[in-house]
Structure formats: structure tokens, C-alpha cells
Amino acid sequence: MNKDFWNERFLEKDVYGEDVNAFLKEQIKLLRAGANILCIAEGQGRNALYLSKQGFHVTAVDQSDIGINQIKEKAKVQNLLIEAYAADLTDYDFGENKWDAIVSIFGHLPSELRRKVHQKITKGLKKGGLFIMEAYSHDQLKYETGGPKSLDLLLSTDILKEELPDLKVIKLEQLEREVIEGKYHSGLSSVVQYIGLRD
């Protein structure tokens, strides 16, 4: 699913809803006031906008320039300060020891790129920084309620343990839950939830 695919999708209505992801909202208590947060594969910005409203310093990245422009427009209307960049995660520089938290919500990547991004995440987090992620699991193919149709783009707890060995696991669970986030994420789903700490 390349840039053109996402540009076309983000011109539709109610793609993934306007509300913050429920799992991310639950984790706000783990973040220190004024934290510097990077949201990757951020799409149309629902999570970045929510985090900015809570007083965090937010940077949003997505390969879709349509999505990024929508984030900028929404932030302007809501008088929020968000840095938003259209960039491929292959090339985007996460920096080192830069982020208090990195957030990935249903940001499904091909396995080869995902492994590289996970390395960038580990280096990019500050000591004490958190990686907060929710994604569809391999079992999601049985549900047909959203997410990629390719096994390579889906996740498991074993993959996360293998690809993020230098982060301390705070939470790692595969579970069923109702995901109601726009027309493309709608219904009972199998997800993996992960929180890792760079200690």
C-alpha cells in the first residue's frame, strides 16, 4: 500500500474516524507532562490531535501528503501546534535519544521495513521513553473487520519480542476487542497491544 493508495483513501469520508484510539487513550497516564511524542503512520491525525490537546509536544509523520495536509488544517482550526511531515519511514530520521514516546496505531509495515523501523524506534527513544503500539494480529485475517489482508503486514507477540529486544516489555498481549474506528476498522477484531520501555 503505497503513497498513492493512501492519498486516495484519505480523500474518502470517515476512513478511520475522528476519535483517539481507545488503547492509546488508556495509556495517557504513563506519559509525563509536556512529553515529546512522535506519531508514525499517523494518517489523518486523530491520535496526534488528541495528544496535542492533552498538552504534549507532537510530531506526526505519514507517507500521505493528503493525510498530512489534513492534520495541518485540523490543527490550525483547533489552534493546536503539531509538527507534521509527509515522509516515507524508510527515509525518515528518528534521531537518537530524542523522544519521550513513539506511538504507532494500526501502522502496518512490510516486515523488512518494520524491522528497520523498530531499530529506529529503539534508538530514537530517550532513556525512560515508551513505545506504544496497537496493531492487528495474524488472527485478524479470520475476522474481516479491518486491516491488511497480507500476513506479512500483521503482527504477533513473538515478532515484537524478537524485533524489539532492547526495550523492556511493560505490556504485550494479543486479545479480541471491538474496534470501532471509522468504516475500515469496524467490529470484533484480533489485536496486539504493546508498550516497551527504553531503560
Side-chain angles (χ1 to χ4, degrees):
M1 294 181 283
N2 60 21
K3 177 181 176 179
D4 291 339
F5 171 89
W6 291 112
N7 275 342
E8 185 173 333
R9 173 155 289 187
F10 292 151
L11 290 173
E12 299 177 29
K13 299 288 187 183
D14 192 34
V15 178
Y16 299 112
E18 298 291 332
D19 294 332
V20 62
N21 170 263
F23 174 65
L24 176 60
K25 187 176 183 180
E26 292 171 1
Q27 311 316 317
I28 292 296
K29 60 186 180 294
L30 300 178
L31 302 173
R32 68 168 182 81
N36 193 29
I37 301 175
L38 173 65
C39 296
I40 61 173
E42 179 52 18
Q44 296 170 292
R46 61 196 175 95
N47 298 305
L49 291 161
Y50 173 81
L51 290 169
S52 182
K53 288 175 186 175
Q54 310 312 307
F56 300 113
H57 301 287
V58 181
T59 298
V61 177
D62 196 276
Q63 65 177 325
S64 167
D65 45 12
I66 298 292
I68 290 298
N69 286 339
Q70 290 174 351
I71 294 173
K72 291 178 177 178
E73 289 168 9
K74 292 172 186 175
K76 184 176 181 181
V77 168
Q78 298 176 46
N79 198 28
L80 299 172
L81 183 60
I82 296 177
E83 294 185 48
Y85 302 102
D88 192 309
L89 292 178
T90 303
D91 307 312
Y92 183 73
D93 183 6
F94 285 57
E96 294 189 19
N97 305 306
K98 183 174 182 180
W99 306 100
D100 296 301
I102 297 175
V103 172
S104 174
I105 301 298
F106 298 117
H108 297 96
L109 306 173
S111 58
E112 184 177 354
L113 172 58
R114 185 188 66 230
R115 285 190 288 270
K116 293 175 181 175
V117 168
H118 284 166
Q119 291 174 357
K120 291 182 179 183
I121 287 169
T122 301
K123 291 180 181 177
L125 286 171
K126 295 178 182 176
K127 185 177 177 62
L130 296 172
F131 176 39
I132 300 172
M133 188 218 72
E134 181 171 53
Y136 286 117
S137 80
H138 287 167
D139 289 346
Q140 179 62 12
L141 291 176
K142 304 172 189 174
Y143 291 76
E144 299 183 351
T145 51
K149 305 305 180 191
S150 165
L151 198 64
D152 186 61
L153 294 169
L154 298 169
L155 279 167
S156 70
T157 56
D158 287 342
I159 286 172
L160 289 167
K161 284 188 279 190
E162 178 185 340
E163 295 184 3
L164 295 160
D166 297 324
L167 297 184
K168 178 181 178 181
V169 175
I170 304 299
K171 179 182 176 67
L172 178 57
E173 183 180 5
Q174 179 177 326
L175 67 151
E176 283 187 340
R177 80 170 185 91
E178 288 282 343
V179 178
I180 308 299
E181 299 182 353
K183 62 184 176 182
Y184 288 110
H185 289 175
S186 185
L188 186 65
S189 305
S190 178
V191 301
V192 178
Q193 297 177 340
Y194 175 87
I195 303 173
L197 169 72
R198 184 176 178 188
D199 59 4

